[in-house]
Amino acid sequence: MPALERHVRLFRNGRNQALRIPREFELEGDEAILRKESDRLIVEPIRKGRLLALLSTLGPMDEPFALGDEDLAPLDDVEI
């Protein structure tokens, strides 16, 4: 799949440089992460609540949840 490209103009917004994001490149939400790699700027949306949405689709567990601490000494026996 070829990457989408669009020529955009940069402008000043007070002391900040800005650009308008064309509709076909709009991101969800009202926040994003901006990262600079060499001479490239990368903008990524912040996706909130995705883990909770995934967990809500899972059914109950058939097996008991293993804590994995059976071989450890009780906390009262640990010297600090």
Side-chain angles (χ1 to χ4, degrees), residues 52-73:
L52 292 177
L54 172 66
L55 292 175
S56 69
T57 65
L58 301 176
M61 294 176 59
D62 295 332
E63 299 176 21
F65 185 74
L67 296 176
D69 63 353
E70 293 84 17
D71 297 335
L72 299 176

Side-chain angles (χ1 to χ4, degrees), residues 4 18 20 23 29 33 39 67 76:
L4 294 176
R20 282 199 203 288
R23 185 168 296 260
I33 299 291
D39 65 342
L67 296 176
D76 296 340

Side-chain angles (χ1 to χ4, degrees), residues 6-25:
R6 178 99 181 255
H7 183 98
V8 296
R9 293 200 179 269
L10 303 174
F11 63 95
R12 291 299 242 184
N13 183 6
R15 292 177 45 171
N16 297 312
Q17 187 179 44
L19 65 92
R20 282 199 203 288
I21 298 175
R23 185 168 296 260
E24 62 267 24
F25 292 98

Side-chain angles (χ1 to χ4, degrees), residues 21 27-35 42-46:
I21 298 175
L27 301 174
E28 294 178 5
D30 57 3
E31 290 183 285
I33 299 291
L34 178 63
R35 182 174 74 246
I42 299 167
V43 181
E44 297 180 88
I46 296 176

